[in-house]
Amino acid sequence: MNFNLTRFAPTPSGFLHLGNLYSFLATKVLAEKHSAKILLRIDDLDRERYREEYVQDIFETLDFLELEYDLGPRNLNEFEGNWSQTHRASLYQDALEEIREKKLVFACDCSRKKIQEMDSSGYYLGHCQDRRIPLDRKEVTWRYNALETDFVSLKSYPNQLDNSLILPSDIAFFLLRKKDHQPTYQLTSLIDDLHFGVDLIVRGQDLYSSTLAQLALAEKLSKAEFLDTTFYHHQLLKGPKKKKLSKSEGAAAIQTLRKSGKKPADIYALLGEYVGEQSIEDYPTFRNYFMNRIK
């Protein structure tokens, strides 16, 4: 079993932490095992949270840990000049037009507060679907019409195929266009993976619902190549309070560890503590640990 391309796709909304490192290392192990190249794809379309120092941190962290990749930008200037998602805006807009033509979405003007009031779970359950709000009205989002989706097929690594999955409640009517007319992550991630030819996607278990959403959308857009993509959803690293590591909380930021004098071996050892494996001290020992997990 060989793959052509996988990717590491951090968001520049904070400094990389140990959870991001785990994801990159898992990607690297599988890429080496299956002769795939690695693309560094930085998801920067959320310009409100974008900071240059966060992008620079990605390059500095990968360089500090001597982690190589095959395709993508090598520095901030290359990224902003050629690789930013802003350069692929026309691809996203073309997809939104196709989505509109195929009537895959409905307009919604609900606020987060209203959604919470309608259902204590906080999940949006399709309230606006029967209201027939014009898609061109100001201050509306576009939501996927989940009632048109039956089952979703997922190819999971290493060799599992499930044809009977349904969109979970937390993402059933997922957003495809925001009120400012910008595409959402579910759309841009799908279009980017198609654009670059990614056929192996490694991501955390917290993005499992997103995987199903993107597969459902790809099926409606007749993107057979994405439907043939293989996914591996890895474990999430948990902090002291058993919550997943988050950039917004500055959890276990590698930059902080680096500036405090930690060496790469120290960071690998700390990663080992988080996953409960004392033998991790460098990339080869992480690879051995990870390979044992996926057997």
Side-chain angles (χ1 to χ4, degrees), residues 167-184:
L167 288 178
S169 299
D170 65 331
I171 206 166
F173 300 95
F174 57 91
L175 291 174
L176 285 170
R177 198 185 80 168
K178 296 184 287 187
K179 289 184 178 180
D180 61 4
H181 294 193
Q182 289 299 307
T184 65

Side-chain angles (χ1 to χ4, degrees), residues 47-83:
R47 305 305 288 187
E48 290 185 2
R49 301 177 67 191
Y50 174 88
R51 300 288 185 275
E52 287 187 357
E53 57 264 35
Y54 296 152
V55 178
Q56 188 62 40
D57 175 65
I58 294 171
F59 300 118
E60 291 178 355
T61 297
L62 295 179
D63 181 63
F64 173 70
L65 294 170
E66 298 182 347
L67 295 173
E68 299 179 352
Y69 52 95
D70 303 287
L71 303 171
R74 300 291 163 175
N75 54 56
L76 178 61
N77 288 336
E78 280 191 16
F79 169 69
E80 293 188 335
N82 298 296
W83 294 90

